[in-house]
Amino acid sequence: MWRYLTPAIVCLLLGLGLSWVLLRIGSGDLDVREIQSPLLGKPAPEFILPSLTEASTSVDSRHFKGSPYLINVWGSWCAACREEHAMLLKISALQRLPLIGLDWKDDPAIAVAYLNEWGNPYQQVASDAEGRVAINWGVYGAPETFLVSGQGVVLFKFVGPLTEAVWHDKFMPLIEREVH
Amino acid sequence: MRAMRRLAGVICLASMIGAAGAIDGTAAFSDATQQARYEALTHELRCLVCQNQSVADSNADLAADLRRQVREMMAAGQTDQQIKSFMTERYGDFVLYEPPLTARTWLLWGAPVLLLLLCLGGAWRVIRTRSRAPMEESADERLASSPGPAHGDRS
């Protein structure tokens, strides 16, 4: 009896396990390409970069400390960034917390034209043309959005275009907790 | 004719060797041992944009930046271990093709051993039951085949 049942049960469990994982991938709960950032819970990497929008001034990350802020990694070359742009403008209009742009591996002239055309959601935009700051932040694609606490600790990282749902389900609960 | 073919073969091989080391156009280091170290390191690092390629093989912008990072750290006299820690502190263990043995990765490393033990255990059980009861087994087979057609019936 068990001689026949054991393999059947093993196969059934294996099948159930695999279909559970596949269903989670299919529903978007599980992204196998996403890489958990080792930066979470650690101090945000500091940087001083030239400002994209204000000539001969620099963006210094130490000035952001004291209250939570968002860092959004983007580039005028990045199609998915264009996709989330309306959401960024919306977040900026909420005025809940500063939104800092990190223009990654971009031609500054084209990036400025991009912001002029589609609107500038950022309080400040740092120009990381060489991509060195992005490496320190563990960036591997654009867009990526980081939430940093007032103490300067990385609380959350989101990979991919921001949507209304992501903002409400993932960012807002963390921001509410930080503010209170 | 034969000499021509041999020459063509040599050219093909030489160009392949060249291409393997020169995705950036020129060698990173003039010193051969340094260059070998650089190649080994960049082959151990995963390109995170195109996750099935190493940093050494990828044309992606990020891979080029990470190669630059490795070159600069090597030129500054950093050890392989320091360079790998720099990468894992930023990108996690995933950036290494050979993840370190930690509490999170023991199952990954142990799975082949576990599977082997499982198979050996299964095989041992089958061999033991078969060799202990050869009579029962043949009796079973005779019973199972007896209601079927007799041997001569097929023709």
Side-chain angles (χ1 to χ4, degrees):
Chain A
M1 175 74 169
W2 282 109
R3 218 173 117 188
Y4 303 106
L5 267 182
T6 313
I9 290 170
V10 168
C11 288
L12 192 72
L13 286 178
L14 210 71
L16 282 175
L18 289 173
S19 31
W20 180 67
V21 172
L22 284 176
L23 282 173
R24 282 189 59 203
I25 293 173
S27 67
D29 285 345
L30 182 73
D31 183 358
V32 285
R33 286 182 63 91
E34 192 171 324
I35 301 156
Q36 170 88 324
S37 173
L39 250 66
L40 298 184
K42 303 237 170 72
E46 293 188 341
F47 62 85
I48 301 176
L49 282 172
S51 165
L52 177 77
T53 46
E54 288 156 68
S56 67
T57 59
S58 56
V59 180
D60 186 339
S61 67
R62 284 169 301 183
H63 292 162
F64 310 145
K65 272 197 183 167
S67 63
Y69 60 94
L70 294 166
I71 295 254
N72 178 250
V73 183
W74 67 287
S76 62
W77 46 267
C78 146
C81 300
R82 181 68 199 87
E83 212 174 287
E84 70 168 3
H85 202 76
M87 192 59 216
L88 290 177
L89 289 168
K90 224 180 229 180
I91 291 167
S92 179
L94 289 174
Q95 298 196 315
R96 286 298 299 258
L97 71 176
L99 176 59
I100 312 297
L102 185 72
D103 184 25
W104 183 37
K105 297 203 60 93
D106 210 351
D107 179 333
I110 300 173
V112 167
Y114 175 100
L115 291 183
N116 284 338
E117 185 172 0
W118 305 110
N120 181 358
Y122 307 109
Q123 282 202 338
Q124 294 184 62
V125 190
S127 177
D128 186 17
E130 289 192 18
R132 290 177 191 275
V133 169
I135 289 180
N136 282 336
W137 283 74
V139 170
Y140 63 93
E144 285 186 11
T145 308
F146 296 85
L147 172 63
V148 184
S149 77
Q151 287 78 44
V153 172
V154 180
L155 295 177
F156 181 59
K157 170 184 179 173
F158 182 76
V159 175
L162 289 173
T163 59
E164 197 85 47
V166 167
W167 178 252
H168 280 283
D169 301 344
K170 307 227 159 126
F171 281 90
M172 276 318 276
L174 290 167
I175 293 168
E176 298 282 357
R177 213 172 56 195
E178 269 306 289
V179 170
H180 291 301
Chain B
M1 196 58 201
R2 182 176 286 181
M4 283 277 281
R5 261 162 67 179
R6 198 168 287 172
L7 183 68
V10 168
I11 290 170
C12 280
L13 271 176
S15 61
M16 275 155 76
I17 293 165
I23 194 163
D24 289 323
T26 50
F29 293 91
S30 50
D31 179 60
T33 47
Q34 285 280 83
Q35 179 66 23
R37 227 190 101 199
Y38 169 74
E39 302 250 331
L41 255 173
T42 49
H43 274 102
E44 277 177 65
L45 297 172
R46 190 195 301 269
C47 167
L48 294 114
V49 186
C50 32
Q51 296 181 358
N52 287 326
Q53 270 184 316
S54 75
V55 160
D57 299 326
S58 173
N59 267 320
D61 253 11
L62 178 63
D65 285 2
L66 292 178
R67 282 197 295 275
R68 177 190 65 199
Q69 190 73 38
V70 172
R71 278 198 305 276
E72 287 174 357
M73 292 181 81
M74 278 181 62
Q78 306 243 40
T79 64
D80 287 9
Q81 200 46 55
Q82 280 171 318
I83 295 171
K84 283 190 206 169
S85 318
F86 175 93
M87 293 296 171
T88 48
E89 276 162 23
R90 284 156 183 77
Y91 290 102
D93 289 342
F94 188 77
V95 77
L96 299 178
Y97 265 114
E98 254 181 51
L101 187 56
T102 63
R104 277 184 60 217
T105 57
W106 69 267
L107 190 61
L108 183 69
W109 281 102
V113 182
L114 277 176
L115 276 177
L116 181 70
L117 287 178
L118 220 69
C119 292
L120 282 177
W124 182 69
R125 261 190 62 183
V126 169
I127 291 166
R128 215 180 54 151
T129 45
R130 292 258 162 111
S131 59
R132 204 167 49 185
M135 292 306 285
E136 275 173 50
E137 198 73 27
S138 51
D140 272 351
E141 269 163 26
R142 230 177 297 139
L143 269 173
S145 60
S146 58
H151 284 299
D153 275 3
R154 221 173 301 162
S155 59

